[in-house]
Amino acid sequence: MEKVVIKTAIEEGMLKALFKLTELRRVDCEHLLNNTELLQSLRNFDLVVYEGAALCSVLVADLLDIPRVLIFPVSPNVPTSPFLQIPLPVSYVPIHMTSFNSKMSFTQRLMNSGVYIFSLFATHFMFTTSMSSLMEKYNITPEISYQEAMANYELLIIEADFALEYPQPLLPGLH
């Protein structure tokens, strides 16, 4: 998968590589959901532990009705944080990789909000829609959306160092 995505990024551009990655993840997940022998062996487990980028784990755990533990290896100031019930006040907390600090100017706050909105739509378009279609196809918890399923974990472990990676500005009215 890595070779295909990197080769596509170099030859055809980053946007095409992201589309290719989305399609590879969807196909990979669909193969997993079609592997009845593997799914049958997974039914014996009491807990699913997975990393945040393993989008199909949400579907497998919901399909098998197994509780989940999510390991989040990066700082929680990414656009998918609200899907995981992590508060992210974008006017005060810089989005990951914007290189803003906790003392943003008005223009930086505006840019931060723009990056957040763009990233949220891109994430929804690139990953959430494909996983939602698989949820619908395999009739996995039809009463909830994929975003709601993502937030349905038992425990969230954030591996980031809050002191170094997550600026903690003073919110209005607290100074």
Side-chain angles (χ1 to χ4, degrees):
M1 183 155 81
E2 184 177 320
K3 288 180 184 179
V4 172
V5 173
I6 290 173
K7 182 180 178 189
T8 304
I10 292 170
E11 294 175 0
E12 301 178 42
M14 197 62 185
L15 188 60
K16 189 78 166 177
L18 284 173
F19 283 118
K20 180 79 89 177
L21 176 64
T22 301
E23 181 60 20
L24 286 171
R25 281 190 173 189
R26 189 195 61 73
V27 169
D28 190 37
C29 188
E30 193 157 13
H31 283 295
L32 177 61
L33 293 171
N34 284 324
N35 189 337
T36 53
E37 185 180 319
L38 178 60
L39 289 175
Q40 197 61 29
S41 68
L42 292 175
R43 284 193 192 282
N44 300 325
F45 288 89
D46 297 325
L47 187 67
V48 173
V49 179
Y50 67 101
E51 191 218 23
L55 303 175
C56 193
S57 300
V58 173
L59 300 182
V60 171
D62 276 5
L63 179 67
L64 302 175
D65 196 29
I66 301 174
R68 298 180 276 134
V69 172
L70 169 59
I71 299 175
F72 207 65
V74 296
S75 177
N77 55 344
V78 293
T80 55
S81 291
F83 296 153
L84 302 172
Q85 300 181 33
I86 301 170
L88 183 64
V90 293
S91 56
Y92 297 100
V93 178
I95 296 295
H96 189 65
M97 296 175 62
T98 58
S99 73
F100 297 145
N101 62 29
S102 62
K103 296 180 184 195
M104 294 184 284
S105 67
F106 175 76
T107 307
Q108 288 173 326
R109 292 175 198 274
L110 197 58
M111 289 170 54
N112 196 54
S113 297
V115 168
Y116 170 75
I117 291 167
F118 173 77
S119 300
L120 196 60
F121 281 122
T123 302
H124 177 73
F125 179 72
M126 301 286 291
F127 301 111
T128 309
T129 54
S130 62
M131 292 297 126
S132 294
S133 67
L134 288 176
M135 275 184 84
E136 187 176 319
K137 180 178 180 178
Y138 291 92
N139 198 27
I140 302 170
T141 56
E143 64 277 0
I144 62 172
S145 68
Y146 181 73
Q147 289 92 341
E148 291 170 317
M150 283 176 65
N152 204 13
Y153 51 80
E154 301 301 315
L155 177 67
L156 171 65
I157 300 171
I158 299 174
E159 292 182 332
D161 185 341
F162 276 84
L164 299 176
E165 297 183 43
Y166 198 68
Q168 298 294 317
L170 284 175
L171 297 176
L174 297 177
H175 52 276

